[in-house]
Amino acid sequence: MRIALPGGEHTLREPVTWAKPPGPAKSRTVYAAAHVVADPLGDNTPGSPAAVDWDATLRFRRHLWSHGLRVADAMDTAQRNMGLDWAATRELIGRSAAEAAAFGDPAALVACGAGTDHAPRAGTLDEIVAAYTEQIETVRTAGAGVIVMASRRLAGIARGPEDYHTVYGKLLSQVDRPVILHWLGEMFDPHLAGYWGSADVAEATASFLALIGEHAPMVDGVKVSLLDAEHEIGLRAALPEGVRLYTGDDFNYPSLIKSGSHALLGIFDAIAPAAAAALHALDAGDLEGYDEIMEPTAVLSRKIFETPTYHYKTGIVFLAWLNGHQDAFCMVNGAQAARSLPHLSEVFRLADRAGLLADPELAVSRMRSLLAVHGL
């Protein structure tokens, strides 16, 4: 099957049938950060409250669980701070955790982001702690695990590392079970530059490690999204025993997972069937098979996450649409317009090469409809 795309004609490969795994991978703990499906008839223009297609959103989470992956919800992949307002986030947390209960323990199957985005005018450290506490309680009441997200507001008012230690120290003293801490780099959110109290990554890392060392029993792991493999390997080695490193490096995840990192990745939303197969190959000690599956997905991921990286969600949703997980290529905040047609065309090519177009006829039909909208 062929399709004419910007840049030249593309001949599709034979579709790959990825077998459903018998269960989750055993050698790594892995979360797929999941997107939300916008209601195509809702007013999802920029600045409007998010209108979500809840049936399709929950159906997609069932798809991820069926491949043995945990779900990281209400994170940046779900457009936190980029269109998913607190009202929709709160509903997402409750619905996702309730849906997980049909598969097992929600606290094991889904972890949700808790932040301060509902309190944009918090002006003191105590107000930031209170905002975090409210969202953590929302997540815990729903029965999900907690991911403490980086706070734009804290980054804006913190005077140095001591302020981060004050806020996170209070939070980690209050939680009733270990949480995941999230370090999101400024390539994902420019508002988070200098997180942990310094623009110098080495100084910020020292501060981060000191905090974790003081509260290690309440830290399940750290999710690091800095797109720096060498830094991640060093941080992983320095963590206290029992604290996991969840890679958030959507450029270098194949080698980082293989060498010992666990994972919490937005790209796993798009590559779940292949990722699950690769992880089971890793469990079996089949490193060649792992590489053979993972490497083409990494080429795809580097395209989806190219600069400006924070627009990666568009490619994630685009692939969900091509694969029939949702009926429309639309996003909250109108974010489907954040990537160009040549960019999306290359995503199409690379997804096919990685064996990630489940139904080529459907994918070609939908791609042709998108091309027609653009006059091609």
Side-chain angles (χ1 to χ4, degrees), residues 5 13 16 26 29 56 87 121 168 191 197 214 245 268 281 297 335 351:
L5 296 171
R13 63 176 289 174
V16 177
K26 296 178 180 178
T29 301
R121 285 183 285 277
Y168 280 83
H191 297 278
E214 292 171 12
L245 191 298
F268 276 20
T297 75

Side-chain angles (χ1 to χ4, degrees), residues 55-335:
D55 288 343
T57 293
L58 295 175
R59 186 168 62 245
F60 191 78
R61 280 137 185 80
R62 293 195 295 272
H63 158 72
L64 295 174
W65 290 320
S66 76
H67 284 282
L69 304 178
R70 301 184 185 204
V71 170
D73 223 331
M75 301 286 290
D76 46 297
T77 303
Q79 293 180 252
R80 289 292 291 275
N81 291 307
M82 292 190 71
L84 194 75
D85 55 278
W86 175 236
T89 298
R90 188 169 51 226
E91 186 169 358
L92 174 64
I93 290 167
R95 285 177 177 265
S96 188
E99 195 71 20
F103 286 78
D105 179 6
L109 290 174
V110 60
C112 296
T116 65
D117 49 322
H118 68 303
R121 285 183 285 277
T124 68
L125 298 184
D126 284 343
E127 289 173 344
I128 288 173
V129 170
Y132 263 129
T133 300
E134 180 181 345
Q135 292 205 11
I136 289 172
E137 284 300 311
T138 297
V139 176
R140 291 296 298 121
T141 299
V146 174
I147 302 169
V148 183
M149 298 177 67
S151 166
R152 287 180 172 182
R153 198 71 194 118
L154 179 55
I157 71 168
R159 297 161 296 179
E162 65 281 358
D163 286 348
Y164 288 90
H165 282 243
T166 295
V167 169
Y168 280 83
K170 289 181 178 179
L171 297 176
L172 292 170
S173 297
Q174 296 171 3
V175 294
D176 62 348
R177 61 186 299 168
V179 303
I180 297 172
L181 301 182
H182 189 191
W183 186 356
L184 190 66
E186 61 187 284
M187 67 290 292
F188 288 93
D189 187 345
H191 297 278
L192 298 176
Y195 214 74
W196 304 115
S198 177
D200 182 276
V201 174
E203 292 180 6
T205 301
S207 171
F208 188 44
L209 284 169
L211 171 73
I212 295 165
E214 292 171 12
H215 301 279
M218 286 295 103
V219 180
D220 166 83
V222 298
K223 193 268 195 186
V224 181
S225 302
L226 299 183
L227 305 183
D228 183 336
E230 184 177 351
H231 173 267
E232 179 173 316
I233 291 169
L235 175 59
R236 187 176 71 198
L239 288 171
E241 185 176 357
V243 177
R244 299 183 179 99
L245 191 298
Y246 293 99
T247 186
D249 188 331
D250 297 277
F251 286 1
N252 303 298
Y253 60 89
S255 62
L256 288 166
I257 293 171
K258 186 164 66 172
S259 67
S261 289
H262 301 273
L264 196 165
L265 288 160
I267 192 57
F268 276 20
D269 177 298
I271 70 166
L279 289 163
H280 280 79
L282 185 64
D283 281 352
D286 180 6
L287 300 185
E288 184 176 343
Y290 172 88
D291 290 338
E292 184 178 351
I293 296 169
M294 276 297 208
E295 286 307 323
T297 75
V299 179
L300 168 65
S301 186
R302 292 181 192 116
K303 183 63 183 180
I304 291 175
F305 284 79
E306 72 180 5
T307 304
T309 300
Y310 46 79
H311 286 321
Y312 76 87
K313 297 93 170 171
T314 302
I316 296 290
V317 174
F318 173 64
L319 287 178
W321 173 62
L322 290 180
N323 279 310
H325 295 297
Q326 56 192 79
D327 294 333
F329 178 38
C330 63
M331 299 172 67
V332 300
N333 209 42

